[in-house]
Amino acid sequence: MFKFYATIPTEPILDSTYNAGRFWKGSRRKVVSMDIDPQHKPMIAGDNRKMTGVPSAKFGTVIYDPPHVGPQGRDKSRKRFDVDFGATVECGKEQDWNLSYLYPPFLKQAKRVPKPNGLLLAKITDMVNNHKSKWPHCDFMRMAEEAGFTVCDLIIKVRNGPMVSTKWKEAHHARKRHCFWIVCRNGDDCERQSSGVLRE
């Protein structure tokens, strides 16, 4: 994605949801790690909805991979994600059982910290809660546009596994075997400017 979408140098990269850094195993890219949980020893320990101390217009790319799983099964109360998913946010009735409410404050900061024409790459997964599909990838694209980004692409990443989960006796929705990489530009034009190429 970096090679295909880059208009400006993609580095330095701010990974705003770094966690244990699994994305970057074996990579030599210059990544500034940010995470709300200090146990992972990020370079910046803080909430990506505030980004206190993060300079403006410094990064070529911002990476965002937020929690995506809400309360499931019999759990109809508010649920904290710090144990299972490394996040300390709530996902309950007040939030309509999904985590899209996290996006607007993050996007406000994510608009500030990349350079002009920089990239925002977001990994978003849809979910089902209480027999209703939630569509956070649609929420994210709409909210990114509202925040001033240009949404350029939607890439589907398919995981291995059955369409129906083996832990349910009766299924009403297909298991989410995919996630989306949403590509956004901090500018008005998705297409790369290439010398010698005519564009209409």
Side-chain angles (χ1 to χ4, degrees):
M1 285 193 288
F2 290 142
K3 184 176 181 180
F4 186 82
Y5 290 104
T7 294
I8 64 169
T10 56
E11 296 171 310
I13 299 164
L14 174 65
D15 187 337
S16 66
T17 47
Y18 190 78
N19 198 260
R22 287 182 293 273
F23 277 173
W24 309 105
K25 297 296 183 190
S27 173
R28 295 183 180 178
R29 291 192 176 272
K30 183 179 177 183
V31 178
V32 175
S33 57
M34 179 178 192
D35 201 276
I36 198 169
D37 190 342
Q39 74 169 330
H40 300 295
K41 297 183 172 60
M43 295 175 189
I44 303 171
D47 190 331
N48 61 33
R49 294 169 292 176
K50 298 178 181 176
M51 293 199 192
T52 304
V54 179
S56 299
K58 177 178 179 178
F59 298 94
T61 309
V62 177
I63 305 293
Y64 185 55
D65 181 15
H68 60 266
V69 180
Q72 299 290 307
R74 296 191 183 105
D75 185 359
K76 300 295 189 287
S77 62
R78 289 187 301 178
K79 180 175 181 178
R80 297 188 66 83
F81 287 76
D82 50 336
V83 175
D84 293 334
F85 305 105
T88 54
V89 294
E90 294 177 342
C91 179
K93 186 175 182 180
E94 292 177 5
Q95 294 82 26
D96 192 31
W97 309 106
N98 82 55
L99 295 166
S100 295
Y101 75 95
L102 297 173
Y103 303 159
F106 162 76
L107 285 162
K108 182 178 180 180
Q109 294 300 314
K111 179 71 175 143
R112 176 181 66 80
V113 299
K115 300 173 185 178
N117 292 314
L119 293 173
L120 167 61
L121 305 178
K123 183 181 170 209
I124 307 292
T125 302
D126 292 336
M127 61 169 288
V128 175
N129 177 264
N130 195 25
H131 306 287
K132 292 182 180 179
S133 290
K134 305 291 182 180
W135 309 108
H137 85 277
C138 297
D139 295 338
F140 188 89
M141 290 189 292
R142 173 178 51 80
M143 292 171 180
E145 292 276 1
E146 289 170 355
F149 286 97
T150 301
V151 178
C152 297
D153 230 330
L154 182 68
I155 301 168
I156 301 171
K157 181 176 185 277
V158 180
R159 304 182 184 100
N160 293 326
M163 289 295 290
V164 178
S165 174
T166 55
K167 69 179 182 177
W168 304 113
K169 292 181 179 179
E170 186 177 4
H172 302 279
H173 296 268
R175 186 180 188 189
K176 302 304 180 212
R177 296 172 58 239
H178 62 280
C179 63
F180 299 96
W181 276 105
I182 301 171
V183 180
C184 302
R185 173 90 58 209
N186 188 23
D188 297 327
D189 195 353
C190 286
E191 296 185 15
R192 291 171 291 171
Q193 301 288 339
S194 300
S195 59
V197 176
L198 295 177
R199 297 172 53 223
E200 294 180 358

